[in-house]
Amino acid sequence: MPAFTGMLSFLSSGFLVQHILRSKKQRHSMYSRLIVGLSSADMFSSFFGFFLSTWPMPSGTWLAYGASGNEHTCEMQGFFFQLGLCAATLYQASLVSFYFLTISRGWSKSNLKRYELLFHALPCSVALGTAVAGLFLQLYNAMPRGNVCW
């Protein structure tokens, strides 16, 4: 089941990204660019975490049906799953901040434009930092009763 829902989420996020990027009007909207970031991060977590599910786990992992990978495929899955989950969560925080500043504080587009780089750089850099740290700390292993290496 995770493979089906993971692929459905991956394809839906991919459709959303291409729909926004093809529209010149949408590309010029800060909100749409934040949605592209969130959807791109979701594509990582959906594909590597849920679609691949137990496949990258080392063969013979206890209670992991379909495990056919090795230690390196497990690390790869954990890295990209961490990258996607962390970035998606922080992009959601960026969207909340965007809405808070727009609705509650009445900020104009020009005021928000000054902070757009921060709204993108923070999720990307923190997610990449935690994903790389996980590699160096060797945190990406098959979970005993889980369906992902994380």
Side-chain angles (χ1 to χ4, degrees), residues 2 24 51 90 99 130:
K24 186 175 184 176
F51 174 71
L90 293 173
Y99 279 124
T130 61

Side-chain angles (χ1 to χ4, degrees), residues 16-112:
L16 193 56
V17 167
Q18 68 87 25
H19 176 73
I20 291 171
L21 294 180
R22 285 185 179 185
S23 168
K24 186 175 184 176
K25 182 181 176 185
Q26 295 281 340
R27 283 193 312 261
H28 292 304
S29 162
M30 182 176 167
Y31 166 78
S32 294
R33 290 190 296 271
L34 289 172
I35 292 295
V36 166
L38 174 60
S39 296
S40 299
D42 179 64
M43 290 174 70
F44 275 99
S45 61
S46 296
F47 182 78
F48 287 100
F50 299 107
F51 174 71
L52 292 181
S53 189
T54 58
W55 291 334
M57 288 182 168
S59 299
T61 301
W62 187 62
L63 292 178
Y65 177 76
S68 57
N70 57 41
E71 183 180 317
H72 299 296
T73 58
C74 193
E75 287 176 349
M76 179 262 322
Q77 181 188 35
F79 176 84
F80 286 111
F81 190 48
Q82 172 65 24
L83 181 72
L85 278 181
C86 186
T89 302
L90 293 173
Y91 263 111
Q92 289 171 0
S94 291
L95 275 170
V96 167
S97 301
F98 171 81
Y99 279 124
F100 173 75
L101 294 172
T102 303
I103 296 168
S104 295
R105 298 293 180 195
W107 281 27
S108 66
K109 289 181 182 180
S110 60
N111 284 346
L112 287 165

